[in-house]
Amino acid sequence: PLQTELALGAMAASSGTDGGESLLKLVSDSNVNRTVRTAALKTILIHIHGKWNTLKKSDLVRKAIEGLQTDRELLPAVIDLVTACERKDFQGMLENFAYNNGNISTTVRYAAIQGLGKLKNEQSVIALKKLLNPTESPEIRQQVIMALGTITSSDNAMTILQEMLLNPKSADF
């Protein structure tokens, strides 16, 4: 609703990090309805790279991620928050979602796989490589290849991709 958008806009327009801190507290509160939490989370994601950059490593972001990860409908946005804030302390959560631990939707699995690629570390490469096995669907393996391709700083990721190119059996999708 317009009222929500205006209130979020006013918070985003505030100077310093006060607005971001308030929004992070808001999204952490499970008593706030999902529509407001979703809109607040979108606002946070817009500004977290700019004026609220200093909040990325804050305890407020950790609490927001922990508070939101139980809401299955918000998981793609939660994954976006994890990667936007480069929160490697939640890498295990992304891996669990990518591995489909807990009957996770395909949308969330794709977001988690992409999120692992955005974290750009060797632990992500190892996790993604596990998803390249033939028991995974071709669509999952395609997502993994795209995620590995974003980790260009990793020799290990590039080696995995090169091996796939040289292995005719890997072209089964």
Side-chain angles (χ1 to χ4, degrees), residues 3-49:
Q3 182 177 334
T4 301
E5 289 181 35
L6 289 172
L8 291 172
M11 293 175 94
S14 66
S15 62
T17 59
D18 292 347
E21 291 171 4
S22 295
L23 289 177
L24 285 165
K25 290 174 186 172
L26 183 85
V27 299
S28 299
D29 186 348
S30 61
N31 294 320
V32 174
N33 79 48
R34 180 181 290 135
T35 303
V36 173
R37 291 172 86 189
T38 302
L41 188 52
K42 287 178 182 176
T43 302
I44 292 166
L45 288 168
I46 290 168
H47 296 286
I48 199 72
H49 295 295

mmCIF file of all heavy atoms in Angstrom, residues 3-49:
data_model
loop_
_atom_site.group_PDB
_atom_site.id
_atom_site.type_symbol
_atom_site.label_atom_id
_atom_site.label_comp_id
_atom_site.label_asym_id
_atom_site.label_seq_id
_atom_site.Cartn_x
_atom_site.Cartn_y
_atom_site.Cartn_z
ATOM 1 N N GLN A 3 0.831 3.832 1.891
ATOM 2 C CA GLN A 3 1.303 4.224 3.225
ATOM 3 C C GLN A 3 2.614 3.518 3.566
ATOM 4 O O GLN A 3 3.559 4.137 4.063
ATOM 5 C CB GLN A 3 0.232 3.892 4.266
ATOM 6 C CG GLN A 3 0.594 4.285 5.674
ATOM 7 C CD GLN A 3 -0.553 3.979 6.640
ATOM 8 O OE1 GLN A 3 -1.706 3.935 6.252
ATOM 9 N NE2 GLN A 3 -0.220 3.744 7.884
ATOM 10 N N THR A 4 2.703 2.242 3.287
ATOM 11 C CA THR A 4 3.920 1.470 3.549
ATOM 12 C C THR A 4 5.071 2.002 2.714
ATOM 13 O O THR A 4 6.174 2.208 3.226
ATOM 14 C CB THR A 4 3.688 -0.025 3.241
ATOM 15 O OG1 THR A 4 2.616 -0.505 4.047
ATOM 16 C CG2 THR A 4 4.929 -0.845 3.492
ATOM 17 N N GLU A 5 4.819 2.235 1.424
ATOM 18 C CA GLU A 5 5.864 2.744 0.537
ATOM 19 C C GLU A 5 6.373 4.104 0.997
ATOM 20 O O GLU A 5 7.577 4.361 0.970
ATOM 21 C CB GLU A 5 5.346 2.824 -0.893
ATOM 22 C CG GLU A 5 5.164 1.464 -1.538
ATOM 23 C CD GLU A 5 4.669 1.568 -2.965
ATOM 24 O OE1 GLU A 5 5.063 2.525 -3.671
ATOM 25 O OE2 GLU A 5 3.901 0.691 -3.379
ATOM 26 N N LEU A 6 5.457 4.971 1.423
ATOM 27 C CA LEU A 6 5.862 6.297 1.892
ATOM 28 C C LEU A 6 6.705 6.200 3.157
ATOM 29 O O LEU A 6 7.720 6.892 3.298
ATOM 30 C CB LEU A 6 4.628 7.173 2.135
ATOM 31 C CG LEU A 6 3.881 7.629 0.882
ATOM 32 C CD1 LEU A 6 2.579 8.323 1.262
ATOM 33 C CD2 LEU A 6 4.750 8.537 0.035
ATOM 34 N N ALA A 7 6.295 5.341 4.074
ATOM 35 C CA ALA A 7 7.046 5.179 5.321
ATOM 36 C C ALA A 7 8.435 4.608 5.044
ATOM 37 O O ALA A 7 9.435 5.082 5.601
ATOM 38 C CB ALA A 7 6.277 4.288 6.291
ATOM 39 N N LEU A 8 8.516 3.615 4.172
ATOM 40 C CA LEU A 8 9.813 3.027 3.826
ATOM 41 C C LEU A 8 10.687 4.046 3.111
ATOM 42 O O LEU A 8 11.894 4.126 3.372
ATOM 43 C CB LEU A 8 9.631 1.781 2.964
ATOM 44 C CG LEU A 8 9.023 0.570 3.662
ATOM 45 C CD1 LEU A 8 8.707 -0.519 2.663
ATOM 46 C CD2 LEU A 8 9.929 0.055 4.758
ATOM 47 N N GLY A 9 10.088 4.832 2.231
ATOM 48 C CA GLY A 9 10.830 5.874 1.531
ATOM 49 C C GLY A 9 11.392 6.910 2.486
ATOM 50 O O GLY A 9 12.530 7.361 2.343
ATOM 51 N N ALA A 10 10.597 7.264 3.487
ATOM 52 C CA ALA A 10 11.053 8.236 4.478
ATOM 53 C C ALA A 10 12.219 7.673 5.286
ATOM 54 O O ALA A 10 13.194 8.377 5.573
ATOM 55 C CB ALA A 10 9.905 8.635 5.403
ATOM 56 N N MET A 11 12.132 6.406 5.636
ATOM 57 C CA MET A 11 13.219 5.775 6.386
ATOM 58 C C MET A 11 14.486 5.708 5.531
ATOM 59 O O MET A 11 15.588 5.946 6.015
ATOM 60 C CB MET A 11 12.811 4.391 6.874
ATOM 61 C CG MET A 11 11.714 4.435 7.927
ATOM 62 S SD MET A 11 11.148 2.794 8.390
ATOM 63 C CE MET A 11 12.176 2.520 9.810
ATOM 64 N N ALA A 12 14.312 5.384 4.268
ATOM 65 C CA ALA A 12 15.461 5.294 3.365
ATOM 66 C C ALA A 12 16.093 6.661 3.135
ATOM 67 O O ALA A 12 17.300 6.759 2.921
ATOM 68 C CB ALA A 12 15.039 4.682 2.030
ATOM 69 N N ALA A 13 15.284 7.710 3.204
ATOM 70 C CA ALA A 13 15.795 9.056 2.961
ATOM 71 C C ALA A 13 16.531 9.633 4.170
ATOM 72 O O ALA A 13 17.229 10.639 4.049
ATOM 73 C CB ALA A 13 14.640 9.987 2.577
ATOM 74 N N SER A 14 16.397 8.995 5.308
ATOM 75 C CA SER A 14 17.059 9.530 6.500
ATOM 76 C C SER A 14 18.571 9.518 6.322
ATOM 77 O O SER A 14 19.120 8.703 5.589
ATOM 78 C CB SER A 14 16.666 8.711 7.739
ATOM 79 O OG SER A 14 17.170 7.399 7.638
ATOM 80 N N SER A 15 19.213 10.442 6.994
ATOM 81 C CA SER A 15 20.671 10.523 6.868
ATOM 82 C C SER A 15 21.337 9.438 7.701
ATOM 83 O O SER A 15 20.756 8.919 8.652
ATOM 84 C CB SER A 15 21.163 11.905 7.297
ATOM 85 O OG SER A 15 20.840 12.118 8.654
ATOM 86 N N GLY A 16 22.530 9.099 7.329
ATOM 87 C CA GLY A 16 23.284 8.092 8.068
ATOM 88 C C GLY A 16 22.688 6.710 7.912
ATOM 89 O O GLY A 16 22.037 6.394 6.918
ATOM 90 N N THR A 17 22.899 5.903 8.933
ATOM 91 C CA THR A 17 22.441 4.515 8.871
ATOM 92 C C THR A 17 21.200 4.261 9.715
ATOM 93 O O THR A 17 20.740 3.128 9.808
ATOM 94 C CB THR A 17 23.565 3.560 9.339
ATOM 95 O OG1 THR A 17 23.927 3.901 10.677
ATOM 96 C CG2 THR A 17 24.773 3.627 8.433
ATOM 97 N N ASP A 18 20.651 5.314 10.313
ATOM 98 C CA ASP A 18 19.493 5.129 11.196
ATOM 99 C C ASP A 18 18.328 4.422 10.509
ATOM 100 O O ASP A 18 17.713 3.521 11.076
ATOM 101 C CB ASP A 18 19.012 6.475 11.754
ATOM 102 C CG ASP A 18 20.001 7.096 12.722
ATOM 103 O OD1 ASP A 18 20.926 6.379 13.156
ATOM 104 O OD2 ASP A 18 19.847 8.286 13.046
ATOM 105 N N GLY A 19 18.022 4.847 9.276
ATOM 106 C CA GLY A 19 16.928 4.222 8.539
ATOM 107 C C GLY A 19 17.187 2.752 8.276
ATOM 108 O O GLY A 19 16.301 1.916 8.432
ATOM 109 N N GLY A 20 18.405 2.425 7.875
ATOM 110 C CA GLY A 20 18.765 1.032 7.619
ATOM 111 C C GLY A 20 18.697 0.188 8.880
ATOM 112 O O GLY A 20 18.211 -0.945 8.861
ATOM 113 N N GLU A 21 19.165 0.744 9.976
ATOM 114 C CA GLU A 21 19.100 0.020 11.249
ATOM 115 C C GLU A 21 17.650 -0.248 11.633
ATOM 116 O O GLU A 21 17.306 -1.357 12.067
ATOM 117 C CB GLU A 21 19.816 0.817 12.335
ATOM 118 C CG GLU A 21 21.321 0.876 12.138
ATOM 119 C CD GLU A 21 22.014 1.849 13.084
ATOM 120 O OE1 GLU A 21 21.344 2.450 13.959
ATOM 121 O OE2 GLU A 21 23.240 2.022 12.933
ATOM 122 N N SER A 22 16.801 0.755 11.462
ATOM 123 C CA SER A 22 15.382 0.590 11.792
ATOM 124 C C SER A 22 14.727 -0.476 10.908
ATOM 125 O O SER A 22 13.943 -1.297 11.387
ATOM 126 C CB SER A 22 14.635 1.915 11.633
ATOM 127 O OG SER A 22 15.098 2.852 12.563
ATOM 128 N N LEU A 23 15.062 -0.461 9.623
ATOM 129 C CA LEU A 23 14.481 -1.451 8.715
ATOM 130 C C LEU A 23 14.977 -2.857 9.025
ATOM 131 O O LEU A 23 14.220 -3.824 8.937
ATOM 132 C CB LEU A 23 14.776 -1.082 7.264
ATOM 133 C CG LEU A 23 14.027 0.138 6.728
ATOM 134 C CD1 LEU A 23 14.459 0.444 5.306
ATOM 135 C CD2 LEU A 23 12.528 -0.075 6.793
ATOM 136 N N LEU A 24 16.245 -2.986 9.400
ATOM 137 C CA LEU A 24 16.769 -4.309 9.766
ATOM 138 C C LEU A 24 16.068 -4.844 11.000
ATOM 139 O O LEU A 24 15.752 -6.034 11.094
ATOM 140 C CB LEU A 24 18.282 -4.248 9.979
ATOM 141 C CG LEU A 24 19.099 -4.161 8.691
ATOM 142 C CD1 LEU A 24 20.534 -3.735 8.986
ATOM 143 C CD2 LEU A 24 19.074 -5.491 7.941
ATOM 144 N N LYS A 25 15.788 -3.978 11.950
ATOM 145 C CA LYS A 25 15.033 -4.395 13.141
ATOM 146 C C LYS A 25 13.613 -4.798 12.756
ATOM 147 O O LYS A 25 13.072 -5.775 13.269
ATOM 148 C CB LYS A 25 15.005 -3.275 14.182
ATOM 149 C CG LYS A 25 16.355 -3.030 14.824
ATOM 150 C CD LYS A 25 16.322 -1.819 15.746
ATOM 151 C CE LYS A 25 17.715 -1.502 16.276
ATOM 152 N NZ LYS A 25 17.743 -0.226 17.008
ATOM 153 N N LEU A 26 13.029 -4.055 11.829
ATOM 154 C CA LEU A 26 11.675 -4.336 11.374
ATOM 155 C C LEU A 26 11.579 -5.716 10.718
ATOM 156 O O LEU A 26 10.685 -6.497 11.033
ATOM 157 C CB LEU A 26 11.222 -3.254 10.393
ATOM 158 C CG LEU A 26 9.806 -3.349 9.873
ATOM 159 C CD1 LEU A 26 8.858 -2.687 10.858
ATOM 160 C CD2 LEU A 26 9.704 -2.661 8.521
ATOM 161 N N VAL A 27 12.515 -6.019 9.818
ATOM 162 C CA VAL A 27 12.443 -7.313 9.129
ATOM 163 C C VAL A 27 12.767 -8.475 10.066
ATOM 164 O O VAL A 27 12.368 -9.604 9.806
ATOM 165 C CB VAL A 27 13.340 -7.386 7.864
ATOM 166 C CG1 VAL A 27 12.918 -6.363 6.847
ATOM 167 C CG2 VAL A 27 14.801 -7.271 8.180
ATOM 168 N N SER A 28 13.447 -8.190 11.158
ATOM 169 C CA SER A 28 13.773 -9.235 12.133
ATOM 170 C C SER A 28 12.586 -9.601 13.011
ATOM 171 O O SER A 28 12.583 -10.650 13.647
ATOM 172 C CB SER A 28 14.918 -8.769 13.043
ATOM 173 O OG SER A 28 16.065 -8.510 12.289
ATOM 174 N N ASP A 29 11.587 -8.740 13.048
ATOM 175 C CA ASP A 29 10.434 -8.921 13.930
ATOM 176 C C ASP A 29 9.388 -9.799 13.251
ATOM 177 O O ASP A 29 8.715 -9.379 12.310
ATOM 178 C CB ASP A 29 9.841 -7.549 14.276
ATOM 179 C CG ASP A 29 8.730 -7.634 15.301
ATOM 180 O OD1 ASP A 29 8.238 -8.746 15.593
ATOM 181 O OD2 ASP A 29 8.342 -6.558 15.810
ATOM 182 N N SER A 30 9.242 -11.014 13.733
ATOM 183 C CA SER A 30 8.295 -11.957 13.124
ATOM 184 C C SER A 30 6.841 -11.536 13.326
ATOM 185 O O SER A 30 5.944 -12.088 12.698
ATOM 186 C CB SER A 30 8.521 -13.366 13.669
ATOM 187 O OG SER A 30 8.322 -13.378 15.068
ATOM 188 N N ASN A 31 6.586 -10.570 14.197
ATOM 189 C CA ASN A 31 5.220 -10.085 14.410
ATOM 190 C C ASN A 31 4.775 -9.098 13.327
ATOM 191 O O ASN A 31 3.598 -8.790 13.214
ATOM 192 C CB ASN A 31 5.088 -9.421 15.785
ATOM 193 C CG ASN A 31 5.271 -10.427 16.904
ATOM 194 O OD1 ASN A 31 4.793 -11.554 16.826
ATOM 195 N ND2 ASN A 31 5.991 -10.030 17.929
ATOM 196 N N VAL A 32 5.734 -8.589 12.539
ATOM 197 C CA VAL A 32 5.414 -7.675 11.443
ATOM 198 C C VAL A 32 4.939 -8.518 10.263
ATOM 199 O O VAL A 32 5.534 -9.557 9.959
ATOM 200 C CB VAL A 32 6.654 -6.828 11.056
ATOM 201 C CG1 VAL A 32 6.375 -5.978 9.838
ATOM 202 C CG2 VAL A 32 7.093 -5.983 12.237
ATOM 203 N N ASN A 33 3.876 -8.072 9.585
ATOM 204 C CA ASN A 33 3.333 -8.909 8.513
ATOM 205 C C ASN A 33 4.324 -9.029 7.348
ATOM 206 O O ASN A 33 5.182 -8.184 7.149
ATOM 207 C CB ASN A 33 1.943 -8.429 8.066
ATOM 208 C CG ASN A 33 1.948 -7.253 7.139
ATOM 209 O OD1 ASN A 33 2.687 -7.218 6.156
ATOM 210 N ND2 ASN A 33 1.097 -6.279 7.421
ATOM 211 N N ARG A 34 4.157 -10.111 6.602
ATOM 212 C CA ARG A 34 5.103 -10.473 5.543
ATOM 213 C C ARG A 34 5.196 -9.394 4.463
ATOM 214 O O ARG A 34 6.279 -9.136 3.933
ATOM 215 C CB ARG A 34 4.713 -11.804 4.912
ATOM 216 C CG ARG A 34 5.685 -12.207 3.809
ATOM 217 C CD ARG A 34 5.338 -13.511 3.133
ATOM 218 N NE ARG A 34 5.572 -14.609 4.040
ATOM 219 C CZ ARG A 34 4.719 -15.609 4.211
ATOM 220 N NH1 ARG A 34 3.583 -15.647 3.551
ATOM 221 N NH2 ARG A 34 5.006 -16.589 5.037
ATOM 222 N N THR A 35 4.109 -8.764 4.112
ATOM 223 C CA THR A 35 4.136 -7.741 3.067
ATOM 224 C C THR A 35 5.053 -6.588 3.456
ATOM 225 O O THR A 35 5.856 -6.119 2.635
ATOM 226 C CB THR A 35 2.706 -7.210 2.798
ATOM 227 O OG1 THR A 35 1.869 -8.326 2.452
ATOM 228 C CG2 THR A 35 2.690 -6.202 1.676
ATOM 229 N N VAL A 36 4.956 -6.147 4.684
ATOM 230 C CA VAL A 36 5.801 -5.051 5.162
ATOM 231 C C VAL A 36 7.252 -5.514 5.251
ATOM 232 O O VAL A 36 8.173 -4.786 4.842
ATOM 233 C CB VAL A 36 5.299 -4.518 6.524
ATOM 234 C CG1 VAL A 36 6.267 -3.501 7.112
ATOM 235 C CG2 VAL A 36 3.909 -3.915 6.375
ATOM 236 N N ARG A 37 7.471 -6.717 5.760
ATOM 237 C CA ARG A 37 8.838 -7.249 5.861
ATOM 238 C C ARG A 37 9.471 -7.373 4.481
ATOM 239 O O ARG A 37 10.637 -7.047 4.285
ATOM 240 C CB ARG A 37 8.837 -8.608 6.567
ATOM 241 C CG ARG A 37 8.496 -8.508 8.037
ATOM 242 C CD ARG A 37 8.314 -9.864 8.651
ATOM 243 N NE ARG A 37 9.600 -10.393 9.087
ATOM 244 C CZ ARG A 37 9.770 -11.628 9.502
ATOM 245 N NH1 ARG A 37 8.770 -12.490 9.535
ATOM 246 N NH2 ARG A 37 10.959 -12.036 9.906
ATOM 247 N N THR A 38 8.701 -7.833 3.500
ATOM 248 C CA THR A 38 9.204 -7.975 2.135
ATOM 249 C C THR A 38 9.588 -6.618 1.553
ATOM 250 O O THR A 38 10.669 -6.465 0.970
ATOM 251 C CB THR A 38 8.145 -8.662 1.240
ATOM 252 O OG1 THR A 38 7.834 -9.934 1.803
ATOM 253 C CG2 THR A 38 8.644 -8.832 -0.176
ATOM 254 N N ALA A 39 8.707 -5.645 1.714
ATOM 255 C CA ALA A 39 8.985 -4.304 1.191
ATOM 256 C C ALA A 39 10.202 -3.687 1.880
ATOM 257 O O ALA A 39 11.051 -3.051 1.232
ATOM 258 C CB ALA A 39 7.755 -3.416 1.362
ATOM 259 N N ALA A 40 10.310 -3.893 3.186
ATOM 260 C CA ALA A 40 11.459 -3.365 3.929
ATOM 261 C C ALA A 40 12.754 -4.036 3.475
ATOM 262 O O ALA A 40 13.784 -3.378 3.301
ATOM 263 C CB ALA A 40 11.247 -3.564 5.427
ATOM 264 N N LEU A 41 12.696 -5.334 3.248
ATOM 265 C CA LEU A 41 13.876 -6.072 2.798
ATOM 266 C C LEU A 41 14.323 -5.580 1.417
ATOM 267 O O LEU A 41 15.520 -5.403 1.166
ATOM 268 C CB LEU A 41 13.573 -7.569 2.778
ATOM 269 C CG LEU A 41 14.716 -8.525 2.526
ATOM 270 C CD1 LEU A 41 15.893 -8.269 3.449
ATOM 271 C CD2 LEU A 41 14.237 -9.961 2.685
ATOM 272 N N LYS A 42 13.374 -5.312 0.532
ATOM 273 C CA LYS A 42 13.720 -4.778 -0.792
ATOM 274 C C LYS A 42 14.399 -3.417 -0.668
ATOM 275 O O LYS A 42 15.367 -3.128 -1.375
ATOM 276 C CB LYS A 42 12.472 -4.672 -1.661
ATOM 277 C CG LYS A 42 11.959 -6.009 -2.147
ATOM 278 C CD LYS A 42 10.701 -5.863 -2.968
ATOM 279 C CE LYS A 42 10.188 -7.228 -3.406
ATOM 280 N NZ LYS A 42 8.908 -7.144 -4.131
ATOM 281 N N THR A 43 13.905 -2.598 0.243
ATOM 282 C CA THR A 43 14.508 -1.281 0.458
ATOM 283 C C THR A 43 15.936 -1.423 0.988
ATOM 284 O O THR A 43 16.841 -0.717 0.545
ATOM 285 C CB THR A 43 13.643 -0.449 1.439
ATOM 286 O OG1 THR A 43 12.327 -0.329 0.902
ATOM 287 C CG2 THR A 43 14.234 0.932 1.663
ATOM 288 N N ILE A 44 16.133 -2.345 1.901
ATOM 289 C CA ILE A 44 17.472 -2.600 2.440
ATOM 290 C C ILE A 44 18.415 -3.017 1.309
ATOM 291 O O ILE A 44 19.535 -2.506 1.197
ATOM 292 C CB ILE A 44 17.431 -3.683 3.539
ATOM 293 C CG1 ILE A 44 16.704 -3.158 4.777
ATOM 294 C CG2 ILE A 44 18.838 -4.164 3.893
ATOM 295 C CD1 ILE A 44 16.307 -4.236 5.769
ATOM 296 N N LEU A 45 17.959 -3.926 0.465
ATOM 297 C CA LEU A 45 18.807 -4.420 -0.620
ATOM 298 C C LEU A 45 19.177 -3.322 -1.607
ATOM 299 O O LEU A 45 20.259 -3.344 -2.187
ATOM 300 C CB LEU A 45 18.125 -5.589 -1.335
ATOM 301 C CG LEU A 45 18.074 -6.891 -0.525
ATOM 302 C CD1 LEU A 45 17.136 -7.895 -1.177
ATOM 303 C CD2 LEU A 45 19.463 -7.474 -0.347
ATOM 304 N N ILE A 46 18.303 -2.345 -1.777
ATOM 305 C CA ILE A 46 18.604 -1.224 -2.670
ATOM 306 C C ILE A 46 19.742 -0.368 -2.118
ATOM 307 O O ILE A 46 20.616 0.076 -2.850
ATOM 308 C CB ILE A 46 17.344 -0.363 -2.902
ATOM 309 C CG1 ILE A 46 16.341 -1.130 -3.762
ATOM 310 C CG2 ILE A 46 17.698 0.981 -3.548
ATOM 311 C CD1 ILE A 46 14.959 -0.490 -3.816
ATOM 312 N N HIS A 47 19.749 -0.160 -0.800
ATOM 313 C CA HIS A 47 20.677 0.801 -0.194
ATOM 314 C C HIS A 47 21.892 0.184 0.513
ATOM 315 O O HIS A 47 22.771 0.918 0.937
ATOM 316 C CB HIS A 47 19.916 1.692 0.794
ATOM 317 C CG HIS A 47 18.872 2.532 0.137
ATOM 318 N ND1 HIS A 47 19.182 3.637 -0.619
ATOM 319 C CD2 HIS A 47 17.525 2.402 0.098
ATOM 320 C CE1 HIS A 47 18.061 4.167 -1.086
ATOM 321 N NE2 HIS A 47 17.038 3.439 -0.670
ATOM 322 N N ILE A 48 21.943 -1.144 0.610
ATOM 323 C CA ILE A 48 23.017 -1.781 1.395
ATOM 324 C C ILE A 48 24.391 -1.604 0.740
ATOM 325 O O ILE A 48 25.414 -1.643 1.410
ATOM 326 C CB ILE A 48 22.708 -3.267 1.674
ATOM 327 C CG1 ILE A 48 23.538 -3.795 2.849
ATOM 328 C CG2 ILE A 48 22.929 -4.135 0.421
ATOM 329 C CD1 ILE A 48 23.131 -3.288 4.190
ATOM 330 N N HIS A 49 24.431 -1.383 -0.559
ATOM 331 C CA HIS A 49 25.725 -1.177 -1.232
ATOM 332 C C HIS A 49 26.176 0.273 -1.183
ATOM 333 O O HIS A 49 27.321 0.571 -1.489
ATOM 334 C CB HIS A 49 25.655 -1.639 -2.693
ATOM 335 C CG HIS A 49 25.446 -3.104 -2.838
ATOM 336 N ND1 HIS A 49 26.368 -4.035 -2.434
ATOM 337 C CD2 HIS A 49 24.407 -3.822 -3.331
ATOM 338 C CE1 HIS A 49 25.917 -5.244 -2.678
ATOM 339 N NE2 HIS A 49 24.730 -5.148 -3.216
#
